[in-house]
Amino acid sequence: MSQISQPGIPKLLEQAVFSLKEEIATVRERPSSDVLFNGILQAPAAAVADKWDYKFETHQPAIRFAEEIRAVNGNGEWMLTPVSWAKNEIVLRFPEKLGDTLDEIQVEWENDFVLQRTLKELERLQTADDHVLDRIRLLFEPESENIPSSAGLLDDGLRNEAQQAAISKSMRRRTVYIWGPPGTGKTATLGFVIANYLKEGKRVLFASNTNRAVDVGLLSAIQALDEIGFDIDKQKLTRFGEAALDEKRVTDLMFTKQMEEMSEKRRSEAATLAALLDRLKEVGTSIEKRLTDGKQPTEEQNMEMELIDRKIREEGGREFLEERMEELSTVNERAELTGKQLVATTLAKVCTSDLFGNVDFDAVVIDEGSMAGLPYLMVTASRAKWHRVIVGDPMQLPPIALTEKKEAREFLEKDIFTSVSGADTTESLFAWHDSQPGFTCFFDIQYRLEPALADVISKVFYDGRLRSGREKGDGGDIHADNRSYHLIDTSRYRPVLTQKSGERGFQPVNTVHQEVLERLIGNMLGKGIPPGDIGVMVPFRSPVYDLRNRLYEASMHGVEVGTIHTFQGREKPYIIFDTVMSGETRNGSIRHYSVRPLDESKNGLSVPRLLNVAFSRSRKELMILADMRHIHTVYGNKFLGKLLNRMKS
């Protein structure tokens, strides 16, 4: 087992600071990039001083943090400014009008905003009090101490034994790790964990890596509150940041919306008080004028003045009203956030928003914890006074880093499960779980995948411990279907790999696989399968752009194409996984070789994690394109070869 050295939390913080600085330096040298399609010119009102706004869809949310974006296409090159971001759509401001639509632009940007702000938080923690550092220590060194909790833990009556145990341990332990493979009810269960915390009057911070995961988890908590019959003022719940789901139960809880509503209410109250003081002044002026003219105030004037004076006294006096009006002119957003009982947001927001400064919670619940970087987890755990609950699957993708500095990269790509356990294999992960029943949970029943595919995944990735069930859980009907997965052996078409000329890095092109994919997707669309139900995954970024262009030119719009990382934490009814690799033509002969993402001898535990994500994203059907001649030649005794041979048999 390889384990991060833990001579103490100060040393761990020092490692995190060093690693983030190295990552920031690399990010500045290697800007992020993307290709944006189908830009739409916004309404004329969007034009500002000869600037023109175009809206694009993008699946890279980090682009919204860019201060400046370089864009190029066949017609020119521009430096652009991001204008707005919402629901995977970004509006970019151009210095000139380029027509009503823009078919395609290539963009790149420096993306170190989140890294810089997280670094600042870590440096702050380096001078924090011992009790704050102890919160971080408990993340890495869970204790067996029990915390008093109310006797009656509530759920919907549908939780299985492992899920019930997870809820119970979360209420009684300082730190709990919940290991949940795909489709095992993680989200529904964490909803009941949060609901039980709220029932006990505890303040909860719920965080995850993506906005979508935050929205789904928040909905699960709301559903759980309804299920246990705990009535809580919904204004005590808030969704901080940007929502990914267009769901009323989420959008109604947006922190920005709550603050706008509060500002409007305060403006209305301030206007009422101002009107009262203005009327006091008006009546006073009228009375003073009559006295100046040698007349006594009218009976009506005296009566109104008496009523106004009484009202002002009831409100606390004139001086108090003037102070209250000043107070109502602004909203203290940090105070309002502190007053919420449940805050749902991303880990990035916890690390970057000034509003979280010095704000503590009784419990911190983190979803997708296995793919969260240690620096972000350390900052978030420092907010937890009593409970830390980490939900995830260490057999899914870990965090990723760009730096080539070995020490920094190893730290940033280490996930919290393997950090705490010291495990570097599936067997050692399960050995850790089995030896630490006090603070670990493994969800052993899945309710989403078809049983035939689930059985393969269980045997290959989960030591045969994952079973299929239909009677309990949070998702979907299960239909026994041995055709829930298909291995399409392309070797009969004699595919060969080529490299894009003049391109840097590994830029593989498998034309045969592209042709097979296009025909396969065409057949699926012809059978009435909606394009939005189809996802295509590849292990490298370069083929993503090639396939997007090819499908776009073939009018197959709406089919999502991305890397395996793109689909982490998501699912589609139909998934096609293209392994891409074949033998490469070199000097008239075919050369077969392995590549890092698919070879555990080069990439260790990351290979089964990567393949597990690829093979567990489909709800109905998984199709794998593989040149089995190449697979047998290079990966016959490796993880990928064993997996595909098992599926073939």
Side-chain angles (χ1 to χ4, degrees):
M1 295 186 182
S2 62
Q3 191 170 10
I4 289 178
S5 175
Q6 294 182 29
I9 297 306
K11 179 62 176 178
L12 200 60
L13 285 167
E14 184 180 319
Q15 287 179 289
V17 167
F18 164 78
S19 300
L20 277 189
K21 286 181 177 179
E22 292 296 328
E23 184 75 355
I24 289 168
T26 302
V27 165
R28 288 179 172 177
E29 293 174 358
R30 298 164 55 182
S32 299
S33 63
D34 197 5
V35 179
L36 305 181
F37 299 95
N38 305 324
I40 300 174
L41 180 67
Q42 299 304 282
V48 179
D50 296 325
K51 306 292 184 182
W52 299 87
D53 294 348
Y54 288 81
K55 180 188 289 185
F56 299 86
E57 182 178 356
T58 176
H59 294 285
Q60 290 213 40
I63 193 173
R64 70 189 189 277
F65 296 119
E67 296 182 2
E68 196 172 48
I69 296 173
R70 176 178 174 268
V72 297
N73 67 10
N75 298 318
E77 177 178 336
W78 307 270
M79 295 305 296
L80 311 180
T81 302
V83 176
S84 64
W85 162 273
K87 298 180 176 65
N88 290 331
E89 291 181 331
I90 189 166
V91 175
L92 299 177
R93 181 156 292 165
F94 283 72
E96 58 181 302
K97 184 177 180 180
L98 300 169
D100 293 334
T101 61
L102 277 174
D103 290 340
E104 176 183 329
I105 60 169
Q106 298 178 31
V107 294
E108 65 176 32
W109 66 95
E110 289 185 357
N111 185 32
D112 64 352
F113 172 77
V114 175
L115 295 170
Q116 290 280 12
R117 296 302 296 267
T118 304
L119 175 62
K120 180 180 177 182
E121 285 299 302
L122 289 170
E123 290 174 337
R124 178 186 63 82
L125 287 173
Q126 286 183 307
T127 61
D129 295 338
D130 287 345
H131 75 278
V132 174
L133 297 181
D134 196 54
R135 299 172 183 179
I136 303 174
R137 181 189 64 79
L138 287 167
L139 177 69
F140 293 93
E141 301 174 3
E143 295 179 349
S144 58
E145 172 193 2
N146 276 332
I147 296 175
S149 178
S150 61
L153 300 179
L154 301 178
D155 59 42
D156 57 355
L158 298 176
R159 299 302 98 200
N160 62 41
E161 184 178 349
Q163 294 166 347
Q164 288 176 339
I167 298 172
S168 177
K169 291 175 186 178
S170 297
M171 303 305 295
R172 293 178 169 85
R173 296 288 181 149
R174 300 289 300 274
T175 306
V176 174
Y177 287 93
I178 299 175
W179 179 358
T184 53
K186 294 190 301 292
T187 302
T189 302
L190 73 82
F192 286 104
V193 170
I194 293 171
N196 277 279
Y197 281 144
L198 297 177
K199 181 177 68 71
E200 290 196 352
K202 294 178 177 177
R203 294 187 63 244
V204 183
L205 172 62
F206 168 62
S208 189
N209 288 282
T210 63
N211 281 308
R212 186 182 186 280
V214 174
D215 294 344
V216 172
L218 177 58
L219 288 172
S220 179
I222 294 171
Q223 178 67 27
L225 288 167
D226 292 339
E227 292 284 353
I228 69 174
F230 182 64
D231 188 19
I232 186 172
D233 180 2
K234 292 300 191 289
Q235 290 303 305
K236 288 289 186 182
L237 317 179
T238 195
R239 171 64 170 92
F240 189 86
E242 299 87 21
L245 300 181
D246 187 14
E247 162 64 57
K248 190 175 187 300
R249 289 177 297 170
V250 173
T251 56
D252 282 351
L253 297 180
M254 296 299 295
F255 187 71
T256 51
K257 180 179 180 180
Q258 291 173 333
M259 293 304 97
E260 288 170 2
E261 292 173 347
M262 175 167 288
S263 294
E264 180 60 34
K265 182 179 179 181
R266 292 166 77 91
R267 283 193 295 268
S268 177
E269 183 182 345
T272 301
L273 297 179
L276 182 64
L277 293 177
D278 287 345
R279 187 57 186 160
L280 174 66
K281 183 177 180 180
E282 290 173 5
V283 175
T285 300
S286 298
I287 291 175
E288 185 177 349
K289 186 175 185 305
R290 287 188 65 84
L291 292 172
T292 301
D293 293 341
K295 301 176 183 179
Q296 292 297 313
T298 66
E299 183 176 346
E300 290 81 3
Q301 287 175 326
N302 285 331
M303 185 176 298
E304 185 173 7
M305 179 61 78
E306 183 179 343
L307 289 172
I308 294 173
D309 281 338
R310 183 186 308 161
K311 179 66 175 174
I312 289 175
R313 288 195 302 272
E314 290 173 353
E315 294 288 344
R318 181 169 180 171
E319 184 177 341
F320 175 81
L321 286 187
E322 291 174 345
E323 292 176 355
R324 176 62 178 161
M325 288 175 59
E326 178 68 23
E327 178 185 327
L328 291 171
S329 65
T330 60
V331 174
N332 187 332
E333 293 189 344
R334 178 175 293 182
E336 295 301 324
L337 188 69
T338 303
K340 301 296 183 180
Q341 198 171 344
L342 170 62
V343 178
T345 191
T346 59
L347 291 164
K349 282 292 185 183
V350 176
C351 296
T352 60
S353 175
D354 292 333
L355 296 186
F356 282 93
N358 300 318
V359 177
D360 290 336
F361 297 84
D362 297 305
V364 166
V365 179
I366 299 174
D367 193 14
E368 297 182 336
S370 51
M371 61 182 294
L374 296 182
Y376 308 104
L377 291 176
M378 293 163 72
V379 172
T380 306
S382 73
R383 308 290 184 198
K385 292 191 290 186
W386 291 104
H387 302 276
R388 280 142 292 273
V389 178
I390 315 299
V391 185
D393 180 4
M395 290 308 297
Q396 300 280 309
L397 292 176
I400 57 175
L402 297 176
T403 177
E404 296 298 329
K405 184 79 72 170
K406 185 174 184 294
E407 181 183 349
R409 186 184 187 93
E410 288 181 352
F411 183 88
L412 294 176
E413 292 191 341
K414 195 83 170 178
D415 75 277
I416 189 63
F417 283 83
T418 55
S419 296
V420 174
S421 66
D424 54 8
T425 65
T426 305
E427 293 77 14
S428 53
L429 272 170
F430 276 110
W432 167 70
H433 160 70
D434 294 342
S435 65
Q436 301 292 346
F439 59 81
T440 67
C441 307
F442 177 74
F443 287 1
D444 58 353
I445 304 178
Q446 73 85 25
Y447 304 94
R448 191 188 76 202
L449 299 174
E450 297 290 349
L453 177 57
D455 182 60
V456 172
I457 289 175
S458 174
K459 291 175 180 176
V460 173
F461 299 112
Y462 297 103
D463 195 36
R465 302 191 188 200
L466 189 61
R467 299 173 289 139
S468 293
R470 66 164 70 221
E471 71 280 11
K472 299 178 182 178
D474 70 334
D477 295 329
I478 295 297
H479 307 285
D481 181 3
N482 289 327
R483 296 184 60 79
S484 58
Y485 60 86
H486 305 271
L487 174 61
I488 302 171
D489 182 1
T490 61
S491 59
R492 59 178 171 164
Y493 303 118
R494 298 292 176 180
V496 292
L497 205 67
T498 59
Q499 295 282 340
K500 292 182 183 178
S501 60
E503 299 283 347
R504 292 184 303 170
F506 187 57
Q507 304 279 337
V509 177
N510 193 325
T511 305
V512 168
H513 278 211
Q514 290 181 9
E515 293 171 351
V516 172
L517 272 169
E518 184 178 336
R519 291 201 303 269
L520 179 59
I521 293 170
N523 290 337
M524 296 171 72
L525 297 176
K527 293 178 181 178
I529 296 175
D533 285 357
I534 304 171
V536 180
M537 283 189 286
V538 292
F540 319 104
R541 180 174 294 180
S542 175
V544 170
Y545 304 126
D546 298 336
L547 287 171
R548 284 179 182 173
N549 287 330
R550 186 175 186 119
L551 296 180
Y552 181 77
E553 291 172 359
S555 298
M556 296 179 182
H557 306 156
V559 176
E560 185 175 352
V561 181
T563 63
I564 300 172
H565 289 82
T566 305
F567 287 87
Q568 168 84 356
R570 301 172 54 218
E571 57 189 61
K572 291 265 189 182
Y574 300 91
I575 289 289
I576 305 172
F577 174 46
D578 178 9
T579 59
V580 177
M581 294 303 297
S582 290
E584 184 174 346
T585 304
R586 294 281 182 89
N587 299 321
S589 61
I590 302 295
R591 173 176 174 261
H592 295 270
Y593 57 87
S594 66
V595 289
R596 179 181 171 88
L598 302 176
D599 188 345
E600 62 268 27
S601 63
K602 297 180 179 180
N603 216 19
L605 191 58
S606 294
V607 173
R609 286 167 160 174
L610 193 77
L611 294 174
N612 189 24
V613 171
F615 282 39
S616 60
R617 299 302 99 195
S618 63
R619 290 200 301 269
K620 292 184 178 180
E621 192 170 347
L622 169 68
M623 289 149 277
I624 306 102
L625 266 65
D627 178 356
M628 292 304 292
R629 178 187 57 171
H630 171 76
I631 298 297
H632 290 147
T633 302
V634 179
Y635 302 101
N637 293 319
K638 292 186 171 66
F639 202 97
L640 178 62
K642 293 177 181 177
L643 176 61
L644 294 181
N645 284 326
R646 182 183 289 272
M647 299 189 78
K648 188 175 182 179
S649 64

